[in-house]
């Protein structure tokens, strides 16, 4: 069983919206800090947003005010609502989870406890 499964990616024009979801097991969802990373072609991976089990969220400066992270406790899903999308938001988006939000740091990507396979977001101008 794959621990994290992303969905909701796609293609949209600049200014449009997309909503990403990450399905997790109840154990992971209830115990782990969760977050989103992204990597554009030819660029380094970057952290986008994270959220604690009790709902405290952090955001990268590049997306603050446009993206909203949330946890759906009924569905055990992590969501990322992306509004006013820009071409520079084009990337593969990855869901991740670890015991502490301090571990959800792009510098520690390869040691993060759970990482999804990614979902592609493409924004055209």
């Amino acid at each position: 069983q794959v621990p994290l499964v992303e969905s909701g990616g796609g293609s949209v024009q600049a200014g449009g919206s997309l909503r990403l979801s990450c399905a997790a097991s109840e154990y992971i969802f209830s115990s782990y800090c969760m977050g989103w990373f992204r990597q554009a072609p030819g660029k380094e991976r970057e952290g986008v947003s994270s959220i604690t089990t009790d709902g405290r969220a952090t955001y990268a400066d590049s997306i603050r005010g446009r993206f909203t992270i949330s946890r759906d406790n009924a569905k055990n899903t992590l969501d990322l609502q992306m509004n006013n999308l820009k071409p520079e938001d084009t990337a593969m988006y990855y869901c991740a989870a670890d015991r502490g939000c301090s571990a959800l740091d792009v510098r520690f990507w390869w040691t993060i406890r759970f990482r999804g396979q990614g979902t592609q977001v493409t924004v055209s101008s």
Side-chain angles (χ1 to χ4, degrees), residues 52-70:
T52 63
T53 53
D54 59 357
R56 286 173 288 139
T58 61
Y59 297 96
D61 289 342
S62 59
I63 57 87
R64 186 175 289 113
R66 299 188 296 120
F67 292 10
T68 302
I69 192 170
S70 61

Side-chain angles (χ1 to χ4, degrees), residues 37 46-47 98 100-112:
F37 293 79
E46 64 175 336
D98 210 315
C101 285
S102 60
L104 291 183
D105 186 310
V106 68
R107 295 172 296 174
F108 311 141
W109 172 254
W110 296 110
T111 61
I112 291 174

Side-chain angles (χ1 to χ4, degrees), residues 56-108:
R56 286 173 288 139
T58 61
Y59 297 96
D61 289 342
S62 59
I63 57 87
R64 186 175 289 113
R66 299 188 296 120
F67 292 10
T68 302
I69 192 170
S70 61
R71 301 172 75 111
D72 187 327
N73 295 329
K75 298 180 180 179
N76 290 338
T77 59
L78 174 73
D79 297 325
L80 185 68
Q81 178 65 43
M82 305 185 295
N83 297 329
N84 190 21
L85 283 160
K86 304 176 180 180
E88 51 264 41
D89 294 318
T90 294
M92 185 72 79
Y93 283 71
Y94 299 90
C95 176
D98 210 315
R99 280 291 188 182
C101 285
S102 60
L104 291 183
D105 186 310
V106 68
R107 295 172 296 174
F108 311 141

Side-chain angles (χ1 to χ4, degrees), residues 5-12 16-23 36 77-82 85 91-95 118-123:
V5 180
E6 303 98 333
S7 62
S11 297
V12 65
S17 299
L18 283 173
R19 188 177 185 88
L20 305 183
S21 289
C22 173
W36 292 95
T77 59
L78 174 73
D79 297 325
L80 185 68
Q81 178 65 43
M82 305 185 295
L85 283 160
M92 185 72 79
Y93 283 71
Y94 299 90
C95 176
T119 186
Q120 178 68 37
V121 171
T122 302
V123 184

